[in-house]
Amino acid sequence: MNNQLFSDYVGITRYAGVPTEQTTGRLHYNENLYGPSPQCMETLNSLTLEDISLYESNEKDELLEALSAETKIPVENLFLNNGSAENIKSILSVFTKRGDTILLPDPGWSYYTGIANYKFLNIVLYKIKEGSTKCYHDVSQIKELAYVHQPKVIFITTPAMPTGNKISDEDLLDIIHSFPDTLILVDEAYLGFSEYTLDPVKIIETYDNVVFSRTFSKYYGLANLRIGYGFASTALKNILWLDMPLHRLPHVNKRMAIAALQDKEYYLAITEELLKTRDQFSARLNNIENVKVYESDANFVYVRLIGYDVEKIKKITDGAGYLIRIFTSNNEKYLRITIGTKEIMDAFTDVLVETILASKL
């Protein structure tokens, strides 16, 4: 091995998700446990051999056209990629170089840090802070750190992961407007589980320094198809397009994504049930002394437990077949729990409550 050639990468490992063999009780990945629209399977069953064997060479991209019709965002501002993770990787590949600084949320998705490390970027963290009932983006801190460190990219995850809170329209616009020479990456992976009041078209028509990233993995339940999309000003999108997949996304995947977009009734129904189940689950846990479930705008909740053995709780619930995640912030351990179907959550809640009560320090 040429040590000089590879020396920069000593100690750097590839980011990977948590290996998981089981297909039930998966409350740790924030998957949509209701599953995608049945129309997706109908679309899959209608495919022909040509849909698989031929490159897609049409002038227009059918998924971009469908997304434009659904979101009212012009086609020339939209882009597709292999999941939102690839959106993020592409954005950093195009707009950063070794030694640049980026501003990341803490707590936040560890993938951000994983990609930044092997691109040799400097990381500055801003805190997602806890309010009385809900977490929030501390915009004053974000701006203060940005003025000092002059980051190339500021990451805004909304709803935030793992805390579940959105940033307000006013605060997001304040950040975008205040740093015209910094790229603002707005990660909206958990879009769809709360009211959306932003006017994205107006933003990308007004500002060249913001890019939005979205996915079909969460709300639409198509995680394993790896369909990400996003939008930005025409100038910014054309630059990002340089790092997009050569032959577009697989035709099979796009056809299923279009089927999902068309079945609004199904997704509205399961989202209504999910939100009701989320509120019931949160209320039951909030009745336990020194347990706080923060209000969430996503399909998961963030749970603080004071005076309980969080590692023991996770070990017991994992053993009972329900996988959950631990996050650490300010030297405290928190649980992040995906909201599944009512049937799943009713059974899990009984296990979790009993486990919490038995894990008091």
Side-chain angles (χ1 to χ4, degrees):
M1 177 183 289
N2 185 328
N3 291 332
Q4 185 174 356
L5 179 62
F6 300 110
S7 61
D8 286 350
Y9 293 91
V10 173
I12 294 180
T13 57
R14 178 180 178 274
Y15 178 88
V18 180
T20 306
E21 299 295 330
Q22 69 186 64
T23 57
T24 60
R26 293 162 62 106
L27 306 181
H28 66 318
Y29 265 151
N30 293 345
E31 297 155 320
N32 185 335
L33 299 181
Y34 289 80
S37 162
Q39 291 187 24
C40 295
M41 186 57 68
E42 294 173 14
T43 298
L44 182 62
N45 290 334
S46 71
L47 294 173
T48 67
L49 288 177
E50 287 76 16
D51 289 323
I52 299 171
S53 63
L54 300 180
Y55 288 121
E56 184 180 343
S57 55
N58 298 333
E59 181 179 354
K60 294 183 178 181
D61 187 297
E62 60 180 345
L63 180 52
L64 285 178
E65 296 287 335
L67 277 169
S68 180
E70 173 68 21
T71 64
K72 312 307 178 187
I73 299 168
V75 169
E76 57 266 26
N77 297 105
L78 289 161
F79 59 86
L80 298 173
N81 212 329
N82 297 305
S84 61
E86 295 302 317
N87 284 346
I88 293 159
K89 186 185 291 186
S90 291
I91 290 164
L92 291 183
S93 294
V94 171
F95 288 105
T96 65
K97 63 182 184 303
R98 178 193 290 258
D100 282 343
T101 296
I102 62 174
L103 205 57
L104 300 180
D106 176 30
W109 189 17
S110 56
Y111 179 77
Y112 298 155
T113 301
I115 298 301
N117 284 340
Y118 85 74
K119 292 187 177 296
F120 306 103
L121 303 176
N122 299 317
I123 298 170
V124 175
L125 299 175
Y126 66 86
K127 295 296 295 184
I128 301 292
K129 297 190 175 180
E130 298 170 34
S132 58
T133 61
K134 195 168 188 174
C135 297
Y136 65 96
H137 295 74
D138 187 341
V139 176
S140 295
Q141 185 193 43
I142 293 172
K143 292 174 66 175
E144 179 181 349
L145 291 171
Y147 283 127
V148 171
H149 297 280
Q150 296 295 302
K152 198 67 175 287
V153 183
I154 298 174
F155 282 63
I156 303 292
T157 313
T158 179
M161 199 292 295
T163 52
N165 60 289
K166 293 193 301 184
I167 191 170
S168 72
D169 297 356
E170 295 77 17
D171 284 344
L172 178 59
L173 288 170
D174 184 15
I175 294 169
I176 295 169
H177 179 76
S178 297
F179 302 97
D181 297 323
T182 296
L183 183 66
I184 313 301
L185 195 170
V186 185
D187 186 348
E188 296 184 319
Y190 296 99
L191 182 75
F193 300 105
S194 60
E195 184 183 7
Y196 193 76
T197 56
L198 206 61
D199 184 348
V201 176
K202 184 176 180 180
I203 292 178
I204 61 176
E205 287 177 346
T206 307
Y207 300 100
D208 278 329
N209 66 319
V210 58
V211 55
F212 291 81
S213 173
R214 294 179 178 178
T215 181
F216 278 81
S217 295
K218 308 300 183 181
Y219 180 76
Y220 290 106
L222 297 174
N224 209 30
L225 294 189
R226 312 308 308 133
I227 306 171
Y229 73 100
F231 52 94
S233 70
T234 303
L236 183 55
K237 176 258 183 167
N238 287 341
I239 296 171
L240 277 172
W241 201 251
L242 298 172
D243 200 63
M244 296 296 114
L246 174 61
H247 291 294
R248 305 180 182 176
L249 299 189
H251 181 65
V252 173
N253 298 13
K254 292 197 297 185
R255 288 278 300 279
M256 294 176 72
I258 292 170
L261 286 174
Q262 292 172 343
D263 197 354
K264 295 182 180 63
E265 184 177 345
Y266 171 80
Y267 288 101
L268 289 173
I270 64 169
T271 300
E272 181 179 359
E273 182 180 330
L274 185 148
L275 300 186
K276 182 178 179 181
T277 301
R278 184 188 67 192
D279 291 345
Q280 291 172 341
F281 174 75
S282 300
R284 187 167 175 193
L285 261 62
N286 278 328
N287 282 330
I288 303 174
E289 184 180 9
N290 292 328
V291 175
K292 176 185 286 187
V293 182
Y294 290 96
E295 295 176 13
S296 174
D297 295 303
N299 66 329
F300 56 85
V301 292
Y302 190 57
V303 186
R304 183 182 184 187
L305 305 100
I306 301 173
Y308 294 92
D309 187 336
V310 177
E311 295 282 356
K312 179 180 178 181
I313 292 170
K314 174 175 166 48
K315 183 177 181 180
I316 294 174
T317 56
D318 282 2
Y322 298 100
L323 306 179
I324 56 179
R325 290 287 299 275
I326 292 177
F327 282 80
T328 302
S329 180
N330 299 322
N331 296 317
E332 286 190 52
K333 294 183 184 299
Y334 297 73
L335 294 178
R336 190 205 67 194
I337 301 170
T338 303
I339 302 300
T341 65
K342 185 178 188 305
E343 180 182 17
I344 291 172
M345 298 310 293
D346 284 348
F348 169 66
T349 307
D350 290 339
V351 172
L352 181 60
V353 169
E354 182 179 342
T355 303
I356 290 173
L357 295 176
S359 302
K360 196 172 183 65
L361 294 172

